[in-house]
Amino acid sequence: MENTGINTKFRFDHNRKVRNFMCGIIGYTGNKQVKDIVLDALTLLEYRGYDSAGMAVSVPEKPTKIIKCAGRVTDLRKLCESNEIEGTCGIGHTRWATHGGVSDENAHPHKSGKITVIHNGIIENYSELTRKYDLQDKLRSQTDTEVVAAVLAHHFTGDPFMAIVKTVSEIKGTFSLGILFEDNPDTIYAVRNVSPIVAAFCDTGALLASDVTALCKYTKEYFVLPELHVAELKPHKITVYDLNGKEVAPEYITMDWDVTQSEKNGYPFFMEKEIMEQPEAIRKTIMPRIRNNLPSFEADGIPDSLFTESKRICVVACGTAMHSGLVGKSLIQSMINIHVDVVLASEFMYTNPVIDEDTLVIAVSQSGETIDTLEALKFARKKGAKRLAIVNVKGSTITRECEQVIYTYAGPEIAVASTKAYTTQLAAFYLIACRMAYLKGTFDEEKAESFMRELQKVPAMMEKVLDRRDIIHKIARKLVNARDLFMIGRGLDYSTLLEGSLKLKEVSYIHSEAYASGELKHGTIALITEETPVIALVTQACIVLKEVSNIREVQARGARVFLLIKEEYASSVTDKFEESFTLPDMEDDFMVMPASVALQLIAYYVSLDKGLDVDKPRNLAKVVTVE
Ligand code: AGP
């Protein structure tokens, strides 16, 4: 490829704030019918959240065929059945609308001249480009993506690569683009800035996708397209170029997921399957990190100095991942006596965080793509902080923004509500806390070994909760009609409930608040009536008596209390409850694990009994790449 001579660098300020959205992308070129592969992959990408779907198929010497609609992949499938679509090279897309409403016309792909485009991201200067190329009356949709297609068409004079480079040098924003040129009917082009694209070979051809979940059915080896590089996919060859036309060797990664992990395997919903998978996911996450009965991050390539030289720790994350950080904070502060902040990634920049070269910033993320967490990390990098990621998806953007990574081995998490990713994140914090305590001398060898023995009991204790899930279902049945609900607890129990409450909110649409029990009297108890069920969690010796008093306070205001209590403490609480569930005994510090499983099951069964779409709650997307 010739040097393009086009200066593309000045257009991109990587430090500015970025926004993009959560669309799914797939592309295939090979010897199989592309329609089937695209539909299957789009189904696998459904979990990302979307409102329209579409595909484009190259047809030699004919116009590219486009089929798209607002609605589900099943709607697209039906459209495909009633249309003749033959071809072995094509692209597919699920759209989560931000720019232009939900309509057939706004669904991707978008075509201009001989060029067809799918896009994940936001083109910030679309109106400037619309004016520059006089597109006002020519565009059929309200999307920024169609503008990209038009700019590509403007620059296309026979060389796809040059058209892409010229277009990329003009567009501002975040994008991953899959592009078909009619004159090259067996080739797909891709380019990206911030928004991810992965690519791979499979037995029958070459694939590209917005995330590995779409690929795991076809291959285990893939690479992440570097930012501002162009991939050219042909059935037998994938070539990557930088924007100067220099060929670059992609870095292949091996995925440790298999296709059965992305299927429901007989469960009605992924959420249930993923809850049930937790004991195994915890085993996979902790066992490779135990050497001589002590925690070890040697296999992760993490030097002990990362833990010994840090004076402060700051955890940045969103939603469930942030809740795992709250538990990590309690553990680390109590075991090592080092200060830990846990900051919502979306608030990080606005809190003037005190971080420097002595700070270890730990970013926690299932997807590894959450834009707020990524932005917080970029900020931390500028401040010179060390950065460690706890992430589930190999090679994801957040892992590349950190010097060190601890992968959770939860496998693909498809349900929007995070369950196994959360508890494996917790497992990572238990390992970190113990390693730090051992290195810093606050735990001697014996104590560290005993802590690790207890950690290894977690899967069995989770199984004990799962085995009695019918009792939890009984509790859930009594909550189905609640409009508002409170969850109360203290200390670690409060952190656990924050996550339990988020779970219930997102899958059941019940307004649920986790409250620190001691804080109720300072205002919130005014909301407690016989209409507001209360879930109380009691697993910590130091709070049993105080918590019982707080429970009596809400009962005195008419609340029906559902008690989750560590078995050991159950006999000391003789009050009457609407329902109670005993959690298997572990050391108090570990009770968050069985308690979380019980709370996840409550949320799941309430949603199930309400007849909701458990895996795809309204308004939510699995991968949140919008600030
Ligand atoms: C979990 O149930 C949520 N859907 C959500 O809070 C999630 O944990 C959050 O968006 C962070 O995602 P990440 O772990 O992929 O960064």
Side-chain angles (χ1 to χ4, degrees):
M1 198 72 55
E2 270 174 47
N3 189 316
T4 58
I6 296 169
N7 182 2
T8 51
K9 283 204 178 95
F10 70 97
R11 293 269 166 192
F12 299 97
D13 173 3
H14 290 276
N15 292 323
R16 80 185 143 71
K17 290 188 121 307
V18 289
R19 298 171 293 131
N20 61 351
F21 49 100
M22 299 88 141
C23 306
I25 281 182
I26 180 74
Y28 169 80
T29 176
N31 60 28
K32 291 273 174 219
Q33 283 301 312
V34 67
K35 177 185 80 175
D36 305 323
I37 291 173
V38 164
L39 287 171
D40 283 354
L42 291 182
T43 305
L44 289 171
L45 290 172
E46 279 191 299
Y47 78 103
R48 290 171 72 94
Y50 71 104
D51 46 57
S52 353
M55 75 163 82
V57 176
S58 296
V59 189
E61 285 161 37
K62 285 197 179 153
T64 303
K65 180 133 189 164
I66 294 179
I67 307 236
K68 58 185 187 172
C69 61
R72 294 291 189 191
V73 175
T74 44
D75 300 313
L76 180 68
R77 206 176 273 275
K78 277 186 210 136
L79 268 183
C80 289
E81 277 160 18
S82 54
N83 278 275
E84 210 176 286
I85 304 157
E86 297 246 325
T88 57
C89 174
I91 50 182
H93 190 265
T94 48
R95 173 176 188 249
W96 193 87
T98 57
H99 197 126
V102 179
S103 68
D104 292 352
E105 204 51 76
N106 286 340
H108 297 209
H110 291 281
K111 189 164 189 263
S112 182
K114 292 180 164 191
I115 290 143
T116 306
V117 175
I118 51 175
H119 168 217
N120 178 18
I122 285 179
I123 304 302
E124 291 167 0
N125 60 337
Y126 75 97
S127 44
E128 185 187 317
L129 293 168
T130 304
R131 278 193 301 278
K132 179 172 176 186
Y133 292 107
D134 200 16
L135 301 172
Q136 290 87 339
D137 301 327
K138 297 176 193 139
L139 300 173
R140 279 162 294 192
S141 73
Q142 288 93 50
T143 64
D144 49 351
T145 307
E146 196 185 352
V147 176
V148 178
V151 176
L152 275 163
H154 173 87
H155 289 305
F156 182 60
T157 51
D159 180 347
F161 178 80
M162 285 306 291
I164 292 170
V165 171
K166 284 179 182 165
T167 303
V168 162
S169 73
E170 285 198 286
I171 55 180
K172 290 179 185 162
T174 60
F175 51 85
S176 47
L177 300 168
I179 312 164
L180 296 177
F181 290 80
E182 244 160 52
D183 297 345
N184 304 57
D186 69 340
T187 311
I188 305 170
Y189 291 87
V191 63
R192 77 176 191 99
N193 180 43
V194 183
S195 311
I197 284 220
V198 291
F201 280 115
C202 63
D203 292 348
T204 64
L207 290 152
L208 70 86
S210 47
D211 71 74
V212 288
T213 315
L215 301 185
C216 63
K217 184 169 174 184
Y218 305 99
T219 179
K220 287 202 173 299
E221 306 288 321
Y222 67 99
F223 69 87
V224 180
L225 179 65
E227 282 184 311
L228 300 177
H229 282 63
V230 178
E232 184 188 66
L233 282 85
K234 291 179 178 289
H236 302 292
K237 195 168 183 228
I238 303 177
T239 320
V240 176
Y241 302 100
D242 69 15
L243 294 183
N244 290 315
K246 188 167 166 259
E247 201 173 318
V248 173
E251 267 179 52
Y252 277 87
I253 303 172
T254 306
M255 132 180 30
D256 36 30
W257 297 355
D258 69 55
V259 59
T260 57
Q261 290 178 296
S262 313
E263 288 166 356
K264 285 190 195 145
N265 297 340
Y267 286 98
F269 288 101
F270 279 108
M271 185 176 176
E272 183 177 345
K273 174 179 173 255
E274 289 161 6
I275 289 172
M276 299 301 288
E277 282 172 347
Q278 289 179 105
E280 193 48 28
I282 299 287
R283 277 185 201 106
K284 282 190 178 151
T285 302
I286 60 176
M287 293 320 282
R289 296 181 171 116
I290 302 178
R291 293 254 168 98
N292 303 324
N293 307 319
L294 292 170
S296 163
F297 294 105
E298 212 179 304
D300 301 283
I302 300 176
D304 282 339
S305 57
L306 187 76
F307 302 119
T308 50
E309 287 169 11
S310 303
K311 297 204 173 97
R312 273 178 305 282
I313 293 180
C314 179
V315 179
V316 288
C318 300
T320 293
M322 190 278 289
H323 293 152
S324 77
L326 294 175
V327 175
K329 172 188 167 104
S330 293
L331 294 173
I332 295 169
Q333 289 194 164
S334 73
M335 289 162 62
I336 302 122
N337 195 26
I338 177 173
H339 182 76
V340 182
D341 279 321
V342 181
V343 189
L344 286 170
S346 55
E347 288 292 308
F348 189 61
M349 256 93 78
Y350 315 116
T351 56
N352 302 315
V354 182
I355 51 168
D356 55 23
E357 306 78 45
D358 294 328
T359 313
L360 172 61
V361 171
I362 304 181
V364 191
S365 175
Q366 188 286 128
S367 61
E369 301 294 346
T370 304
I371 197 84
D372 288 320
T373 310
L374 190 59
E375 289 295 308
L377 279 170
K378 287 181 181 171
F379 183 87
R381 169 164 42 92
K382 279 194 246 155
K383 296 277 179 183
K386 298 177 208 73
R387 287 153 297 135
L388 167 68
I390 299 175
V391 164
N392 195 38
V393 179
K394 259 193 179 175
S396 51
T397 312
I398 286 173
T399 66
R400 280 174 282 118
E401 188 56 47
C402 289
E403 290 112 331
Q404 308 294 345
V405 183
I406 296 173
Y407 281 108
T408 50
Y409 298 125
E413 191 180 65
I414 307 292
V416 164
S418 185
T419 53
K420 60 178 181 170
Y422 170 67
T423 47
T424 53
Q425 287 158 0
L426 292 179
F429 275 114
Y430 282 92
L431 290 164
I432 291 172
C434 190
R435 184 76 199 162
M436 282 186 90
Y438 177 65
L439 292 172
K440 295 223 176 209
T442 50
F443 270 22
D444 60 18
E445 195 164 322
E446 202 185 318
K447 207 164 168 195
E449 284 183 0
S450 145
F451 188 91
M452 293 309 290
R453 275 196 298 277
E454 194 66 9
L455 183 58
Q456 289 172 78
K457 286 186 204 158
V458 165
M461 296 303 142
M462 287 178 151
E463 271 151 13
K464 283 192 178 187
V465 176
L466 294 170
D467 288 347
R468 291 184 298 136
R469 58 190 182 283
D470 52 327
I471 306 175
I472 297 179
H473 199 161
K474 199 174 149 206
I475 295 178
R477 280 193 199 101
K478 292 193 172 184
L479 299 174
V480 164
N481 295 319
R483 212 191 60 173
D484 307 292
L485 180 149
F486 282 85
M487 297 196 185
I488 60 170
R490 285 170 181 256
L492 261 185
D493 288 341
Y494 172 50
S495 302
T496 308
L497 289 170
L498 282 167
E499 171 54 15
S501 175
L502 173 64
K503 214 86 306 173
L504 186 66
K505 271 191 269 255
E506 69 181 327
V507 299
S508 78
Y509 314 148
I510 292 175
H511 166 235
S512 160
E513 297 255 10
Y515 241 81
S517 310
E519 186 62 16
L520 277 173
K521 285 192 279 292
H522 301 285
T524 310
I525 203 162
L527 297 175
I528 301 285
T529 67
E530 50 287 353
E531 303 296 318
T532 42
V534 171
I535 295 176
L537 179 61
V538 185
T539 72
Q540 309 290 306
C542 58
I543 53 97
V544 177
L545 294 178
K546 283 188 183 159
E547 188 58 31
V548 169
S549 305
N550 297 139
I551 291 171
R552 287 180 187 146
E553 286 161 10
V554 294
Q555 280 179 322
R557 271 96 194 154
R560 290 177 298 143
V561 173
F562 298 79
L563 180 71
L564 306 182
I565 187 162
K566 176 170 162 173
E567 201 163 353
E568 189 187 340
Y569 308 139
S571 57
S572 54
V573 184
T574 51
D575 307 45
K576 286 245 168 303
F577 300 98
E578 184 72 24
E579 292 289 343
S580 58
F581 183 83
T582 50
L583 296 161
D585 287 334
M586 301 198 72
E587 283 174 20
D588 285 3
D589 275 351
F590 292 85
M591 286 306 297
V592 59
M593 289 289 206
S596 295
V597 175
L599 290 161
Q600 292 165 354
L601 285 167
I602 291 177
Y604 172 71
Y605 285 127
V606 172
S607 179
L608 187 74
D609 290 352
K610 284 179 96 167
L612 299 172
D613 187 350
V614 183
D615 288 339
K616 296 193 242 11
R618 68 184 176 211
N619 305 338
L620 295 177
K622 182 69 180 166
V623 188
V624 181
T625 46
V626 179
E627 275 182 306

